[in-house]
């Protein structure tokens, strides 16, 4: 069952997502974001499914940012998502729409982030996958000598039980001050609601 759910989760995740409707309805609190989750070759991890992820603030005119790798697998029968960083993420800016640039990625190109793994639960009634860090832990990573702490959180599933309902990614990653537990960046009025606009095929 876990393998079937893993394939279902990966299929749902693979694609381009956009929250245009949310940003138009509430522009004060929600930027217009576009996010890509581009499948990578199976050879990168040999098991499970992996994605190159990046996003863009559509109205800013700035290049894509927050490049990272997500590896979906199972751990002790539990769906698991493990994040990795890239040593020079800017070098991969825009690669989500130019996937040929990603074919040469190897494990040696990735930076392990041992605190940045999420347990993923499937809720059959709503058909939603929910990803959370274990306990009340924080994802942490260091770049340019600065350590950043993030509370990772997403839900992914159909917008409604109706047939052919669009897939929605509810993204609620937040930067956190580890001393006060107060957010430093990220959505303050609930998650970004990114609707799947197009699907990408999983790679062998």
């Amino acid at each position: 069952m876990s393998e079937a759910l893993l394939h279902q989760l990966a299929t749902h995740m693979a694609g381009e997502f956009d929250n245009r409707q949310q940003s138009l309805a509430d522009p004060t609190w929600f930027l217009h974001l576009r996010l890509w989750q581009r499948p990578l070759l199976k050879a990168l991890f040999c098991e499970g499914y992996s994605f190159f992820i990046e996003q863009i603030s559509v109205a800013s005119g700035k290049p894509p940012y927050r490049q990272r790798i997500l590896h979906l697998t199972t751990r002790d029968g539990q769906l698991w998502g493990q994040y990795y960083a890239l040593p020079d993420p800017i070098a991969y800016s825009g690669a989500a729409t130019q996937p040929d640039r990603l074919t040469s990625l190897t494990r040696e190109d990735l930076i392990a982030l041992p605190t940045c793994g999420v347990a993923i639960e499937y809720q059959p009634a709503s058909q939603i996958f929910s990803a959370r860090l274990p306990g009340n832990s924080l994802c942490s990573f260091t770049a340019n000598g600065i350590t950043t702490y993030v509370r990772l959180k997403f839900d992914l599933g159909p917008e409604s039980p109706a047939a052919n309902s669009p897939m929605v990614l509810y993204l609620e990653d937040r930067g956190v001050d580890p001393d006060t537990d107060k957010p430093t960046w990220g959505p303050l009025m609930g998650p970004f609601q990114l609707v799947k606009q197009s699907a990408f095929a999983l790679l062998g």
Side-chain angles (χ1 to χ4, degrees):
M1 176 61 76
S2 293
E3 289 300 323
L5 279 178
L6 179 62
H7 184 268
Q8 181 180 339
L9 171 60
T11 301
H12 289 346
M13 290 197 72
E16 178 182 325
F17 295 77
D18 189 291
N19 75 326
R20 181 175 181 273
Q21 292 181 345
Q22 182 188 40
S23 67
L24 288 174
D26 199 352
T28 302
W29 293 106
F30 295 100
L31 295 171
H32 181 192
L33 297 181
R34 187 166 297 134
L35 178 141
W36 295 269
Q37 299 186 137
R38 175 68 69 173
L40 297 171
L41 292 170
K42 275 267 193 178
L44 185 61
F45 284 96
C46 297
E47 62 179 15
Y49 303 89
S50 57
F51 298 85
F52 173 81
I53 304 175
E54 67 177 349
Q55 63 195 56
I56 191 170
S57 174
V58 176
S60 71
K62 296 180 180 179
Y65 62 98
R66 209 175 172 212
Q67 291 80 13
R68 61 243 189 237
I69 304 296
L70 173 62
H71 178 216
L72 298 177
T73 186
T74 57
R75 179 182 293 187
D76 299 325
Q78 164 85 61
L79 295 174
W80 186 263
Q82 185 66 51
Y83 288 91
Y84 294 79
L86 294 161
D88 185 8
I90 300 302
Y92 291 92
S93 180
T97 56
Q98 301 169 345
D100 287 349
R101 294 170 55 192
L102 302 170
T103 57
S104 61
L105 271 176
T106 68
R107 290 287 293 277
E108 287 69 33
D109 296 319
L110 309 185
I111 298 173
L113 301 174
T115 62
C116 302
V118 290
I120 304 172
E121 299 283 351
Y122 180 64
Q123 303 169 33
S126 61
Q127 303 175 55
I128 287 177
F129 292 90
S130 296
R132 304 289 187 272
L133 289 163
N136 197 36
S137 63
L138 295 174
C139 161
S140 64
F141 57 90
T142 302
N144 300 319
I146 300 173
T147 300
T148 299
Y149 297 87
V150 184
R151 179 158 286 124
L152 301 172
K153 178 180 178 181
F154 73 78
D155 298 293
L156 175 64
E159 188 174 45
S160 75
N164 300 318
S165 178
M167 200 61 52
V168 182
L169 174 64
Y170 300 89
L171 186 63
E172 205 168 356
D173 293 354
R174 288 189 178 129
V176 175
D177 182 328
D179 296 322
T180 64
D181 204 41
K182 292 183 177 179
T184 56
W185 54 262
L188 299 178
M189 301 298 288
F192 288 105
Q193 298 178 29
L194 298 130
V195 181
K196 193 170 186 177
Q197 306 297 315
S198 59
F200 301 146
L202 299 177
L203 303 180

